[in-house]
Each structure stands twice: as structure tokens, then as C-alpha cells.
Amino acid sequence: MAVNPKPGSTPARPPMTDRTFAEDTVPSAPGGETHQMAGKGHETLTTAQGVAVADDQNSLKVGPRGPVTLEDFALREKIFHFDHERIPERVVHARGYGARGYFENYEPLKDLTAADPFSEKGLKTPVFVRFSTVAGNKGSADVARDVRGFAVKFYTRAGNWDLVGNNIPVFFIQDAVKFPDLIHAAKPEPDRAFPQAQTAHDNFWDFMSLMPEATHMALWIMSDRAIPRSFRFMEGFGVHTFRLVNAAGESTLVKFHWKPKQGLQSVVWNEAVKLNGADPDFHRRDLWAAIEQGDYPEWELGLQTFTDADADRWIEEYGFDVLDATKIVPEELVPVQRVGKLVLNERVDNFFAETEQVAFCTQNVVPGIDFTNDPLLQGRNFSYLDTQTKRLGGPNFTHIPVNAPKCPFHNFQQDGHMAMHNPVGRVNYEPNSWGPDHNPKENPKEGYQSVPVKESGAKVRVRSETFADHYSQARQFYISQTPEEQTHIADAFTFELSKVETPTIRKRMVSHLMNVDETLAKTVAKQLRLEEMPAPADAARPTRMDLKPSDALSILKNGPNSFKGRKVGALVTDGVDADLLAGLMKACKAEGAMLDLIAPHIGGVTDSAGKHHDADEKIDGGPSVLYDAVALLPSMDGAVELKTMPPARDFVADAFAHKKFIAYTKAAVPLLGKAGVVPDDLDAGCIEMKAAGDADAFVKQCRALRFWDRKA
Ligand code: HDE
């Protein structure tokens, strides 16, 4: 029998990671299929009430061919529970993936903050992180063009702190009251229920083009930031300005940043479209695999700290208000100070228990961290608690292990749905005159204190004048990109607006781009074949032309110059040159990169030295979009076979078009030709492999991630 779990703990389940085929499988008469019985190492299957189940294959019937009885409680309980397996998916950020890890603090930050995670050198605070997309439903594809959520729950010794951020440092809107409109507009249109996980439709761009404040964000989501290569290769941002508070009660304004130690990397749009078909789980699989292989992703936490006086001055000097979530504080203005690192080193044991049930709330702060008046943040502080109550079914979601603090907690909250922490003893109110047992009291010394910021003013429904500049930072973002990245932005606007059926919406959007950069606007207009150039949209503030480019805003200017954690896909056939393959394996390993073998058959190949290699993918399941670089290593005969296979031709043509580094052997040249890559096209991004040592040079070149100079 299963061991009775302790009250409040999750019942132990046998590990199911390895499928073992027991010897004690017996035929389930009379169908002949087999099933396993308890005895040799298996626990007895029971109902939720703990009653042992004798037969889990057949329902209770009146005779072998007769009706099923209502009395069959095991059947009814099993189906009843199944019927209730789903909980409401998140209204936004439904598609997500989580992992556990820790945050390690570099140095005490006592001058800045009393927050526990920053209190000691080397202190490790456990965390749970969930990455997500925003618009798609729970089953949507990972590489949608979208903002990514980057939510971190710190289980500190002073309570839980949730830093619920995104991979883009600005947001669409300035006031929480517009959030339902934004999300309605982005989600599938309500009459037709499509498109799924895509912003390329009329409603979204109608809304965007009517909301000038969204222009800065529009630039970010049309950039490659919105199609990351994986969660591991993206930055994270707290977005809002928060406050850090030290033990003396002095506060400093702060913006939070997560900087990936793996470097930044994105895919290209044509690749994203194909990836979503080839592997809708591309991002979650990547995170799972990296942690499984012990290649733990890491980010450094960065702080931009500044005073209230700085913030006031910037309104005058640069025209942005730090309370406006559509603005950044450029890193050139306030450098990012790296204060610790986040390491994700544990996968969840059960997706539902942790990743689905984790409940982030922006209001979860600990002493040493406080809010500001950002109206978006203030609205979020209501929304998250409210949504968890609906999604997790009541006020006791903090009793679920992933949400419970890991420090002691005591209060008089009681009862409600699924209450797991039930107070014992007589006292359940405060003040009381009972003894100290089970009788927590407030603690003015250690308790959370809000910064006593002075507030005054008339009660008004207005937007602050200081939020009125909608275009200057959008322009700054655009001029900070490399020409390649600028092309991607223009192409993304063209793609999205080409899916918009209403010409006036296309035009209205281009009129905003006129206020950002005329060349960008004209390129998009030309690619859309707009009949005439629209006039620039009316602007509450003229675009400032004096803001300097900020290199930190570009992905390509911040290349990792490393191929660590990336993946090569090697196309191999029987007779693959054993030395070359061994050389490639060695070079990838030395770089900390992964290597997949893609073959005509999943059973694998035999190399020129007669050694067998298992394949990781059959050619039609392993298109080159899954890889950061490719190697074409067929034998002469193998290349002849591959030439006849459309997936092999696509493998090559896509890798070339997506500007990937390509290692190839002489035998692969006809295959390249069949894919449209003739010898004249072979540029410096295509490396011929003649000897095992050439693999080193290839992998070194791959550190640039793409050969952007290719004329695709
Ligand atoms: Fe969220 N957001 N949000 N959001 N958000 C939610 O909470 C909301 C905003 C973000 O992995 C919801 O648990 C409002 C900005 C992440 O579980 C909901 C506003 C940023 C996640 C909600 C915003 C975010 C959410 C839905 C405008 C970046 C996923 C499910 C004022 C700083 C967390 C849930 C996870 C999730 C409301 C804007 C990030 C409905 C009202 C800005 C990463 O409460």
C-alpha cells in the first residue's frame, strides 16, 4: 500500500521518468493485451480514498456484455477526477515553461536595500522562474512573434518576492485601464476565433495605430527581440521603476535587468514560421535539454539606480518620466550594475504542480523593496491577486507548495476552499490575551514598512503631461540597431500590416512610423505598396532628434562571441567520413555546443570505419531551422540519395537562406546545387571540411552565430 502522506504534503508518486517493462505483466483476459500487477516492486494502485483497486482494465458490468453499474465507484471516481483536470488557463501568458534554481548575491547591498536576497555575499536564495508568451493560448507554438514573460519568484528568508517582468523593457500602454483593451485586440478576433498567437491582424493594428503611446513598444515587438532563439538567450526587465529601501528607510529608484550569460540571440522570421510547425515546443524543449545536460542557463541581475532628483531632471532634459512604462532609462545614462546571478539548475517534477499552478503577484514584495506610482504597476498590484483567485479556485493558492513561502509564516487566516494550513488551538484573532503558543504578533522592527512618500493632489482622471512624448525613444531604439536589424524591423512591419485587411489601418500605422524615422516609414510604405505616403501622425510632442543611439538596445551589437550552448545539425548518411565526424564531435564538445545527427533513417548510419551511430532525427523530423549551424557530411552515395529527398533539399536551402554557417564536404556539393546553392554562392560562411581539424575552424566561425554578409 502507498505510504500515507503527511498532512499538507504532496503524496509521493513513484518516479515515472524511466519506462520500465516489468516481467510481471499478465494478459488482461480476454483481449490478450498485457498489464502490470503489483507485486514485484510496484505499489498497489488505489482510489483517492486509499481503497486498493483490483482491476483497472475493466469496469463493473452485469455480465461480460451487460450494462455498466452505477455502483462502480472506482470507475466513477477515476472519470470524475479526469473531468476536472483542467483549471482556467492564464488570461494572458497562458503558454509558459518553468524551472527551479537559485539567485546568488555577489556583495551585500546594505546601503541600497534591506532586501534579504542582497544582504550577504554569496547568499543563495531559491527561485522559481516561468517564461511565457503573452497572446497565445496554452497549446500555442513557442516561437510566435510576441513579448516573452520572465517571471521570477524569490523564496527569500523574509517572504516571497515576485519580480514579474518581460523580455522587453517597455510596455504598450501607460495606464492599467487600457490593459483589457490591449489584450482583447491582440488575442484572436472574437467572432472568428483566429488568428492564434499572432498580432498580424486588423484588431491588433487598429488598436495600436489608435494608441500613439504604443509606438515605442511596436518597434520592439517588430524587432528580433520578439522572436528569441530560446529563453536562455534573452534579457529580462522589471519594466517599471521600483524603489529599493535600506534599513534607515532611505530609498533609491531602481530598474531591474536580467542579462543572459549565454548572450543574446534571436531567430529570423522565416525561420520562426517554419519552427512553429517543425517543433511547436522549441523553447520549452531547449530549456529542458539544457538543464538535463547540466548546461545550466544563467543570468546576471542588473540594477540601474537613481534618485528622485535624477528622475525629475530627466523629465526636463530628455522628456521622459520614469513612472511611464513606455520609456527606458538608457544604459548610457545609468549603467547597469551587476549584483548577482540567477542559475536555473532544476527541472520541475510535474508541469501542472509547479509551472501551471505557480501564481506570481506583483504585490509580493519583501522589506527593502517598494512600489512607485507607475499607474501600470498599481493596476497590476490588483490584477494578479484577483486573477489567481479565479484561476486557482480560491484564496488558499498560497498553500500550494510552489507558491508557499519557504520561510516560517504565521497568521490567523483560515478556512476557505482546499485549506491546507489549518490553525490549531483556540486563538484565531488579534489582539488576544492568550499565551505565546500559536499566537503571532505584529513586529514593527522586522515588519514591512512602506516608504512614507508624500502624496497630494486633486482626484483627477488624467494622463500626466510628462507621459506625452510617444516617439523620441521609439526613434532612439530604431537608430540603435544595425542595418540588418533595421531591415528586419521594416520587414516585420510589412509582414504584419500585409495581413491587415483594412488599408486605412496600414496607413495610420505608417503615419506613426513617419514620426519615428522617415526612411523606415518609406520602406514599409513601399513594401506595402501604399498608394500615397501618409502625413506624420499628430504628435503631442515633436520627436527629439538629439537622442544618441544606445548600443545596449541592439542584439547584434552585443553578440556573445561564443557558440556555447548552441546546436549543430549534421546531415549524415551511411559511409560518412569517420574522421570528419569524430573531428566535429570533438570540436563541438570543446566549445560546449551540442551536436545532433540527422540521417535518412532513425536507425542511424554506419561510418566509413564501420562504426554505427544512432540518429537523433530522421531527415524530415530534423529540419535545419532547429539548429544554429549545420554540417553536410554525406558520403558520395549518400548525397545521391539525399538529392532525391525534398526535406534534405529544404535542410540545405533554409540553412543557406537563414544565413547559418554551413560546413560541407566535397560530396555534398551536388546536394547544395540541388538546393539552389551553386558553387559561386559558396561564401565565407560556407566552410569546406577536408580533414578532421577543419571542424575547429568551423566551430570557431560559428561563434558569430550567423553569416550576416550573405546575399541570401
Ligand atoms: Fe501581466 N498579467 N499585466 N504584465 N504578466 C498576468 O497574471 C496585467 C504587464 C506578466 O508566468 C496575469 O497570473 C495587467 C507588464 C508576466 O505566471 C494578469 C497589466 C508586465 C505574466 C496580468 C499587465 C507583465 C503576467 C495573467 C497592465 C511586464 C505571467 C495570469 C497593467 C513587466 C506570469 C497571471 C506567469 C500575467 C495582468 C502588464 C508581465 C491578468 C492588468 C507591464 C510575466 O494578472
Short mmCIF file of all heavy atoms in Angstrom, two decimals, residues 76-77 91 218-219 253 256 286 319 321 380 412 447 472 518 593 602 619 688 697-698 709:
data_model
loop_
_atom_site.label_atom_id
_atom_site.label_comp_id
_atom_site.label_asym_id
_atom_site.label_seq_id
_atom_site.Cartn_x
_atom_site.Cartn_y
_atom_site.Cartn_z
N ARG A 76 -16.23 5.59 -11.49
CA ARG A 76 -16.79 6.95 -11.42
C ARG A 76 -15.78 7.94 -10.85
O ARG A 76 -15.61 9.04 -11.34
CB ARG A 76 -18.08 6.95 -10.59
CG ARG A 76 -19.29 6.49 -11.41
CD ARG A 76 -20.60 6.69 -10.69
NE ARG A 76 -20.72 5.79 -9.57
CZ ARG A 76 -20.78 6.15 -8.29
NH1 ARG A 76 -20.77 7.43 -7.97
NH2 ARG A 76 -20.88 5.27 -7.33
N GLU A 77 -15.05 7.49 -9.82
CA GLU A 77 -14.07 8.41 -9.24
C GLU A 77 -12.97 8.76 -10.25
O GLU A 77 -12.55 9.92 -10.39
CB GLU A 77 -13.43 7.78 -7.99
CG GLU A 77 -12.51 8.75 -7.28
CD GLU A 77 -11.47 8.08 -6.42
OE1 GLU A 77 -10.50 7.51 -6.96
OE2 GLU A 77 -11.64 8.12 -5.19
N VAL A 91 -5.20 34.26 -18.44
CA VAL A 91 -5.88 35.06 -19.46
C VAL A 91 -4.86 35.68 -20.42
O VAL A 91 -5.12 35.85 -21.60
CB VAL A 91 -6.83 36.08 -18.79
CG1 VAL A 91 -6.10 37.03 -17.87
CG2 VAL A 91 -7.63 36.87 -19.82
N ALA A 218 5.83 49.02 -30.25
CA ALA A 218 5.64 48.45 -31.60
C ALA A 218 7.00 48.19 -32.24
O ALA A 218 7.21 47.16 -32.88
CB ALA A 218 4.82 49.40 -32.47
N LEU A 219 7.93 49.12 -32.05
CA LEU A 219 9.28 48.94 -32.62
C LEU A 219 9.95 47.72 -32.01
O LEU A 219 10.59 46.93 -32.71
CB LEU A 219 10.12 50.20 -32.36
CG LEU A 219 10.16 51.30 -33.43
CD1 LEU A 219 11.00 50.87 -34.61
CD2 LEU A 219 8.79 51.75 -33.91
N LEU A 253 15.49 54.92 -6.41
CA LEU A 253 14.69 54.36 -7.51
C LEU A 253 15.53 53.34 -8.26
O LEU A 253 16.76 53.45 -8.33
CB LEU A 253 14.22 55.48 -8.44
CG LEU A 253 13.27 56.48 -7.78
CD1 LEU A 253 13.06 57.71 -8.65
CD2 LEU A 253 11.93 55.82 -7.45
N PHE A 256 15.14 46.99 -12.82
CA PHE A 256 15.78 45.67 -12.76
C PHE A 256 16.03 45.13 -14.17
O PHE A 256 15.18 45.24 -15.05
CB PHE A 256 14.87 44.69 -12.01
CG PHE A 256 14.69 45.02 -10.55
CD1 PHE A 256 13.49 45.55 -10.08
CD2 PHE A 256 15.72 44.79 -9.65
CE1 PHE A 256 13.31 45.84 -8.74
CE2 PHE A 256 15.55 45.09 -8.30
CZ PHE A 256 14.35 45.61 -7.84
N ASP A 286 14.20 23.27 -25.44
CA ASP A 286 15.55 23.81 -25.31
C ASP A 286 15.93 23.97 -23.83
O ASP A 286 17.02 23.59 -23.41
CB ASP A 286 15.61 25.17 -26.02
CG ASP A 286 16.94 25.88 -25.82
OD1 ASP A 286 17.09 26.57 -24.79
OD2 ASP A 286 17.81 25.72 -26.67
N GLY A 319 12.85 64.47 -21.58
CA GLY A 319 11.43 64.37 -21.90
C GLY A 319 10.77 63.05 -21.53
O GLY A 319 9.69 62.74 -22.03
N ASP A 321 9.49 60.31 -18.30
CA ASP A 321 9.16 60.19 -16.89
C ASP A 321 9.39 58.73 -16.49
O ASP A 321 8.88 57.82 -17.17
CB ASP A 321 7.68 60.59 -16.70
CG ASP A 321 7.26 60.68 -15.24
OD1 ASP A 321 7.90 60.02 -14.39
OD2 ASP A 321 6.28 61.39 -14.96
N ARG A 380 -1.52 46.51 -11.85
CA ARG A 380 -1.09 45.11 -11.78
C ARG A 380 -1.22 44.59 -10.36
O ARG A 380 -1.55 43.43 -10.14
CB ARG A 380 0.36 44.99 -12.25
CG ARG A 380 0.55 45.27 -13.73
CD ARG A 380 2.00 45.13 -14.13
NE ARG A 380 2.41 43.76 -14.22
CZ ARG A 380 3.68 43.33 -14.20
NH1 ARG A 380 4.67 44.22 -14.07
NH2 ARG A 380 3.98 42.06 -14.30
N PHE A 412 -3.62 34.53 11.11
CA PHE A 412 -4.92 33.99 11.53
C PHE A 412 -5.85 33.77 10.35
O PHE A 412 -7.06 33.69 10.51
CB PHE A 412 -5.56 34.91 12.58
CG PHE A 412 -4.80 34.95 13.89
CD1 PHE A 412 -4.40 36.14 14.45
CD2 PHE A 412 -4.51 33.76 14.55
CE1 PHE A 412 -3.71 36.18 15.65
CE2 PHE A 412 -3.82 33.77 15.76
CZ PHE A 412 -3.41 34.99 16.30
N GLY A 447 8.85 44.08 10.44
CA GLY A 447 7.70 44.07 9.52
C GLY A 447 7.89 44.99 8.33
O GLY A 447 8.71 45.91 8.36
N SER A 472 10.09 59.79 -29.31
CA SER A 472 11.55 60.01 -29.25
C SER A 472 12.31 58.72 -28.94
O SER A 472 13.30 58.40 -29.59
CB SER A 472 11.89 61.09 -28.23
OG SER A 472 11.24 62.29 -28.59
N GLU A 518 11.87 58.52 -41.01
CA GLU A 518 11.24 58.65 -42.32
C GLU A 518 11.63 57.51 -43.26
O GLU A 518 10.79 57.00 -44.01
CB GLU A 518 11.63 60.00 -42.94
CG GLU A 518 10.56 60.52 -43.86
CD GLU A 518 10.91 61.89 -44.43
OE1 GLU A 518 11.27 62.79 -43.64
OE2 GLU A 518 10.84 62.03 -45.67
N ALA A 593 29.14 23.03 -27.23
CA ALA A 593 27.97 23.04 -28.11
C ALA A 593 27.40 21.63 -28.24
O ALA A 593 28.09 20.64 -27.95
CB ALA A 593 28.37 23.58 -29.48
N ILE A 602 15.91 6.75 -38.93
CA ILE A 602 16.13 6.98 -37.50
C ILE A 602 17.06 5.91 -36.90
O ILE A 602 17.70 6.13 -35.88
CB ILE A 602 14.79 7.09 -36.72
CG1 ILE A 602 15.01 7.68 -35.32
CG2 ILE A 602 14.08 5.74 -36.62
CD1 ILE A 602 15.52 9.08 -35.29
N ILE A 619 15.51 12.65 -41.31
CA ILE A 619 15.65 13.92 -42.02
C ILE A 619 14.37 14.77 -42.02
O ILE A 619 14.42 15.98 -41.78
CB ILE A 619 16.18 13.71 -43.47
CG1 ILE A 619 16.26 15.01 -44.24
CG2 ILE A 619 15.42 12.67 -44.24
CD1 ILE A 619 17.28 15.96 -43.76
N GLU A 688 34.48 24.42 -46.23
CA GLU A 688 34.68 23.05 -46.70
C GLU A 688 35.47 22.25 -45.66
O GLU A 688 36.47 22.72 -45.13
CB GLU A 688 35.40 23.04 -48.05
CG GLU A 688 35.42 21.62 -48.61
CD GLU A 688 36.02 21.50 -50.00
OE1 GLU A 688 36.25 22.55 -50.64
OE2 GLU A 688 36.26 20.36 -50.42
N ALA A 697 37.96 25.11 -36.94
CA ALA A 697 37.79 26.42 -37.59
C ALA A 697 36.30 26.70 -37.80
O ALA A 697 35.83 27.83 -37.59
CB ALA A 697 38.53 26.42 -38.92
N PHE A 698 35.56 25.67 -38.20
CA PHE A 698 34.11 25.84 -38.42
C PHE A 698 33.43 26.28 -37.13
O PHE A 698 32.69 27.27 -37.11
CB PHE A 698 33.53 24.52 -38.94
CG PHE A 698 32.04 24.44 -38.92
CD1 PHE A 698 31.26 25.31 -39.69
CD2 PHE A 698 31.37 23.51 -38.12
CE1 PHE A 698 29.87 25.24 -39.67
CE2 PHE A 698 29.99 23.43 -38.10
CZ PHE A 698 29.24 24.30 -38.87
N ASP A 709 26.63 38.68 -43.72
CA ASP A 709 27.02 39.29 -45.00
C ASP A 709 26.50 38.50 -46.20
O ASP A 709 26.66 38.95 -47.33
CB ASP A 709 28.55 39.36 -45.11
CG ASP A 709 29.10 40.40 -44.15
OD1 ASP A 709 28.31 41.27 -43.73
OD2 ASP A 709 30.30 40.31 -43.80
#
